[in-house]
Structure formats: structure tokens, C-alpha cells
Amino acid sequence: MSHLQLNDIDLAFGDHLVVRQLSLQLDRGRIGCLLGPSGCGKTTVLRCIAGFERLRAGEISLDGSIVSSVAYTQPPERRRIGMVFQDYALFPHLSVAENIAFGLRGESAAARRTRVDELLGLVGLGGQGGKYPHEMSGGQQQRVALARALAPRPSLLLLDEPFSNLDVELRERLSYEVRDIIKATRTTAILVTHDQHEAFAVADEIGIMHEGRIQQWDTPYNLYHRPANRFVADFIGQGSFLRGRVLNDREVRVELGVLNSTAPLVCGEDCGGCTHGSDVDVLLRPDDIVHDDLSPLRAEIVHKAFRGADILYTLRLSSGAKVLSLVPSHHNHTIGERIGIRLDVDHVVTFQDELTGLDLAAHPEARRLQPDRT
């Protein structure tokens, strides 16, 4: 039985349906993540799990017991859920130790001191319990907030954009530390973020949200290499669509050659197998296009983005279509130069040309999803 389970939940504010038939399940000790753009409903789902919002449909179960349904909402304080907020929400008039001990008021003074010392050591703040929040850095305050949430040994930990107030370098480092801390306590957790790097660093499983629905609940690896639909393909990582033609159930020809799939080709979510001879759009990631001086295939560099160890090149093919290539930075070429490339595709991802004939004025969000055919 799953530790946390959401079954077809709906939530609306007035007539506006914010969450639509959303389902997920998370096993004990696993870290899940709701990832998506602003306004997709991910924080609202977190508030539903916490008990702050009433459902219009569906139910939420924790440890096998229903905590939310249309007819019943268990109060938040009875759910044994810990929360870490975006703004830390520490009490400024309490010391670090007093903040961590806030949820332990039912225990003896000795038990509180033992638990606080244990958590201070776990989050790397041993000996700093006497300080006040304003004396700590942003990263240290976030660790205090995490320790406070973990102190009562919650059944579930919820983290709402916990790193958004930190600078990029600290955010990346702290995300790995937070994962290690959660795993060390064997706590089940749900993270909400719009940053896929945070999601990949922290979560075991990720749900990509769009317009109140989960488009795909999967591992980070599968989201990148096996996206279920165009939205997931576009939202996760970088890439470009190249027109192709299906030769058989495992081969598709693109401008750069024939791609061979280890599994039968699938043309997008719920579309089944690809029709032989049909035109499709093939997703190519930057690591699928390899720079090779000996290759007869050539492409023109139209843009370059230096990233330290790598350079991300935008390349124009002979047809005018553009693709991306991630190249070690010692291969430093100039814009306008033609370089040799070859395909190295492990996962062939194809989609039917769903956007042909679509009225872009009526559907402006489709512009960035269209394959480049210029």
C-alpha cells in the first residue's frame, strides 16, 4: 500500500477549476516532486495534502487512512505533516534551538534537548542552537526550518519552493544536502518547485504539472529520455524537433540519417504505434548531436552559449532546420563556421504532427512547441 495516495482530486476556487482529476501515489521513504510553471496548480495540490483546502472531488489517503474527501477534511494538525515554507517562517524572537523544539511541546525538557541536538548535528549546525535567525545565513535558516519540520518525526514532509530565496550556487548545494537529510531520516516527502534542476537533485519521482493535471509521473531519467507528450518534452531539458518519416516500427529517417529504436516507435501519448510512411516530429536533445570533425555531415553555427565545461551550439542544417549540440568547451568554434556532426541517439522519441493546421493566434502557447522547419 502506498504511503501517500491522491485519487482523481479536483479543487476549484469559485467557478475556476485549479486541479483536475489529479492522481499520484508515493511509497514510504520516497521523495516526490510536483514540477511545473507558475500557475499550474502545484502549490494548491500541496495545500490539499496539508489539509488547508477542501476537495471538490476525489480523495487523499495517508498511511491507508482517508484524510480528505468531498465529505470530510481532517484538520491539518492531526495529519502529522511537517512543512518547510519558501520564506522559512522562523520565529525571530526564538533561538535556533527554540525554533526546532517548537513542535515538541508535549515532550519532557530532556527529550526536547536530545532531539534538538540530534537535528542540529544532522543539518550541520551543531553548537549553534543559541543563535537567533537573523544571525544565520539564508542557507542556515533553511536548514533550521527543515530541522524544525523534522523534529516531531512527521509521517510526511511537504516542501514548498524551499530554495527560491537563495542564490543559484547555494541553491544547488543545499538541494543535495536536503535530499541527504531527508533520506537519512527515512522521511516520505513531497517537494514543489518550478526549477527542474532542484527537482532532479532532490526527488526520486517527479510529476510534471500543466493546467492542473499531471502530464507524467516518472523518474527524472524517463522524463528526459522518454517524455509522454510534447509538453513534457518541451518543459524538461532542451531540445528541438526535426521532421522525420517512419520507415518501419523501429526506424525513422531524418535529415541527418536513419535512427534505429530499440523499442517499437510510439507517436506520442495514447497514439500507439507510428504508421509506416507517416511524417513525424523527432525530438533531438543537445547530447544526441555529437561534434565530429571526421563526419561528412556539416552544420553552420548560428549561436553559441559558453557554459564553462561545455558550449551549447545552435546549428543550422542544410535544410534550414535548427538543432542544439552540447560540445566540450575546448572545441571553441566561431559563429558562421561549419562543423562536422553525427547522431548518437539512444532513445528515439517521436510525436505525430499534432500542431499542423492549429490556429496559433488562438493557441499562442503552441508557438514554442512547434518544430523548427525554417
Side-chain angles (χ1 to χ4, degrees):
M1 180 183 295
S2 299
H3 183 62
L4 172 69
Q5 189 158 340
L6 279 62
N7 294 323
D8 295 325
I9 69 167
D10 286 359
L11 183 133
F13 296 125
D15 295 329
H16 178 51
L17 199 60
V18 179
V19 179
R20 310 157 187 254
Q21 296 182 313
L22 186 142
S23 298
L24 66 85
Q25 59 183 35
L26 191 65
D27 291 340
R28 185 179 299 278
R30 301 282 285 177
I31 303 175
C33 176
L34 296 174
L35 172 65
S38 297
C40 70
K42 55 188 184 294
T43 294
T44 301
V45 174
L46 208 69
R47 291 178 58 82
C48 291
I49 296 171
F52 298 145
E53 305 290 349
R54 296 187 66 88
L55 301 182
R56 173 173 285 190
E59 61 184 29
I60 299 173
S61 299
L62 188 60
D63 267 337
S65 299
I66 295 176
V67 295
S68 286
S69 67
V70 177
Y72 171 70
T73 300
Q74 187 181 64
E77 64 272 15
R78 292 180 53 196
R79 298 193 180 200
R80 293 190 57 234
I81 289 178
M83 289 202 69
V84 179
F85 300 95
Q86 179 176 341
D87 59 357
Y88 318 140
L90 298 176
F91 300 110
H93 62 289
L94 298 181
S95 69
V96 165
E98 289 168 335
N99 266 282
I100 296 173
F102 186 79
L104 302 174
R105 285 170 290 180
E107 300 188 18
S108 68
R112 289 199 301 271
R113 284 195 299 270
T114 299
R115 182 62 174 158
V116 168
D117 289 343
E118 175 189 351
L119 286 165
L120 283 171
L122 184 65
V123 300
L125 296 174
Q128 301 191 53
K131 290 186 177 180
Y132 284 82
H134 72 272
E135 298 176 300
M136 315 284 284
S137 68
Q140 289 173 324
Q141 289 185 49
Q142 189 59 280
R143 290 182 204 169
V144 174
L146 178 60
R148 183 181 63 182
L150 291 171
R153 295 178 177 87
S155 176
L156 178 68
L157 179 68
L158 304 179
L159 303 101
D160 186 11
E161 300 272 9
F163 311 116
S164 60
N165 290 333
L166 305 176
D167 61 68
V168 174
E169 184 178 346
L170 179 58
R171 186 185 310 160
E172 183 174 356
R173 187 176 77 249
L174 192 58
S175 62
Y176 289 110
E177 293 177 2
V178 166
R179 175 181 169 83
D180 289 343
I181 292 167
I182 294 173
K183 286 295 184 181
T185 59
R186 300 179 181 177
T187 303
T188 310
I190 290 275
L191 165 73
V192 159
T193 182
H194 64 276
D195 188 321
Q196 62 184 273
H197 299 293
E198 289 178 15
F200 286 1
V202 176
D204 300 307
E205 303 163 68
I206 299 171
I208 305 300
M209 286 196 63
H210 178 54
E211 295 182 343
R213 302 178 189 268
I214 290 183
Q215 304 294 310
Q216 185 174 353
W217 179 268
D218 218 324
T219 64
Y221 183 91
N222 284 341
L223 291 173
Y224 184 84
H225 289 292
R226 301 184 181 101
N229 56 40
R230 287 177 182 267
F231 180 84
V232 176
D234 184 70
F235 188 80
I236 294 294
Q238 293 178 292
S240 54
F241 288 113
L242 200 61
R243 174 59 65 88
R245 174 156 292 180
V246 176
L247 302 180
N248 54 59
D249 64 351
R250 292 176 185 265
E251 291 186 320
V252 58
R253 182 184 297 279
V254 296
E255 180 180 349
L256 297 173
V258 175
L259 300 177
N260 295 282
S261 176
T262 57
L265 296 172
V266 177
C267 288
E269 189 177 34
D270 300 326
C271 293
C274 298
T275 305
H276 298 180
S278 63
D279 289 331
V280 294
D281 297 322
V282 180
L283 174 67
L284 293 178
R285 299 293 193 186
D287 45 319
D288 292 331
I289 310 292
V290 179
H291 176 29
D292 184 351
D293 288 326
L294 300 179
S295 174
L297 290 172
R298 297 279 153 175
E300 178 189 359
I301 297 173
V302 295
H303 187 267
K304 59 187 290 189
F306 183 76
R307 298 187 171 189
D310 305 293
I311 298 175
L312 182 65
Y313 287 111
T314 302
L315 305 174
R316 181 186 290 120
L317 306 181
S318 57
S319 67
K322 295 174 185 176
V323 294
L324 301 173
S325 180
L326 194 62
V327 177
S329 62
H330 56 271
H331 293 281
N332 186 24
H333 299 281
T334 59
I335 292 177
E337 187 176 347
R338 296 181 64 81
I339 62 173
I341 58 171
R342 60 179 170 83
L343 287 173
D344 186 11
V345 182
D346 288 332
H347 301 87
V348 181
V349 180
T350 55
F351 295 100
Q352 290 181 337
D353 190 5
E354 300 167 350
L355 301 181
T356 298
L358 187 66
D359 182 358
L360 292 182
H363 300 273
E365 75 282 356
R367 295 182 185 275
R368 69 189 186 100
L369 299 176
Q370 276 200 308
D372 191 335
R373 297 176 186 141
T374 58

